[in-house]
Amino acid sequence: MHRLPHHAGHSRFRAIGNARAALAVVLAAGCTLALAQAQKGAPVPGAAGIYSCVDAKGRTLTADRPIAECSDREQRELSPSGMTRRRLEPTYTAREQAEREDRAREAAVQAARIADERRRERALLIRYPNAAAHERERGEALVQVDAVIQAARKRLSELADDRKKIDEELEFYKGDASKAPGVLRRRLDDNAKSVAVQNRFIGEQEDEKKRVNARFDEERVRLKQLWSGDTATTAR
């Protein structure tokens, strides 16, 4: 029998071992890939899948490939054991996809509006746990506005006193301002403008009182529902 050199025999055994190791790596990689696909619900090569759906007429259809009659609805891919491997989304036209996105946006806006309304309701209840607290804050707000009006009226009174002095000086000119010195005429003009400003300011503050009362009245309607626990009605 012909014998290989000692070093050649070792080389041959090493080559066989390397080949076996490479085969083991390939097999392990294949098993890992198959396991990952199965976990993701993706079809595993060599394993037949079953597709199932309920069509527009309410019939349950099954096939060994995606079902054309159910292209507009969700389908399920089942394993041979009947377990759901994955779900196939409907196939939409560009127009249908745009409509779905519009509906999703509208739903998101509506959900955000409702969430914001709920936050405002919670804030109202924290701030006004009862009717007495709400009325107390209304009164405080109105007192602040009245204080501003009172200060403006006090200024009007001061302007009225100043006007009396101006009129007394105008008597020397028989009430004819055109004959009065420029300084006196400017005082008269400034007084008239200041009176107009204060009257306009008082009118604005009276309007502010109306706005304050309107706001508290509107809050009171909603708070009555919240205090009673009736939160079914949402703002439109």
Side-chain angles (χ1 to χ4, degrees), residues 11 15-16 25 48 51 54 60-61 106 117 145 166 174 186 189 222:
S11 299
I16 294 173
V25 170
Y51 294 86
V54 178
T60 299
L61 306 179
E106 290 174 3
E117 177 66 17
V145 178
I166 294 172
K174 299 181 180 181
R186 283 194 294 274
D189 185 57
R222 187 58 181 148

Side-chain angles (χ1 to χ4, degrees), residues 164-182:
K164 287 180 181 178
K165 295 176 183 179
I166 294 172
D167 289 341
E168 289 174 357
E169 293 185 37
L170 282 174
E171 289 180 1
F172 292 103
Y173 308 96
K174 299 181 180 181
D176 188 353
S178 63
K179 296 179 181 179

Side-chain angles (χ1 to χ4, degrees), residues 53-91:
C53 69
V54 178
D55 68 4
K57 297 179 180 179
R59 299 174 302 176
T60 299
L61 306 179
T62 57
D64 61 353
R65 65 193 63 192
I67 303 167
E69 291 88 336
C70 289
S71 62
D72 63 339
R73 62 198 59 234
E74 182 184 87
Q75 301 184 48
R76 292 184 302 150
E77 183 186 356
L78 309 176
S79 67
S81 63
M83 299 294 291
T84 299
R85 282 180 174 172
R86 60 172 176 159
R87 297 180 183 274
L88 281 70
E89 290 290 329
T91 303

Side-chain angles (χ1 to χ4, degrees), residues 38 45 49 55 65 67 70 82 90 94 100 107 109 113 115 119 121 125-126 137 156 158 161 163 170 182 185 191 209:
D55 68 4
R65 65 193 63 192
I67 303 167
C70 289
R100 289 181 76 244
V109 170
R113 189 191 63 77
R119 283 193 295 271
E121 288 175 351
L125 279 175
I126 292 172
E137 185 156 328
L156 279 177
E158 294 171 352
D161 291 340
R163 178 58 186 266
L170 282 174
R185 290 199 303 271
N191 184 277
K209 287 180 67 174

Side-chain angles (χ1 to χ4, degrees), residues 182-210:
V183 174
L184 188 57
R185 290 199 303 271
R186 283 194 294 274
R187 283 179 57 194
L188 181 62
D189 185 57
D190 289 344
N191 184 277
K193 289 179 179 178
S194 295
V195 168
V197 168
Q198 295 303 316
N199 282 326
R200 184 169 62 250
F201 184 66
I202 289 173
E204 291 171 352
Q205 294 305 304
E206 293 291 350
D207 290 339
E208 177 63 15
K209 287 180 67 174
K210 294 177 183 178

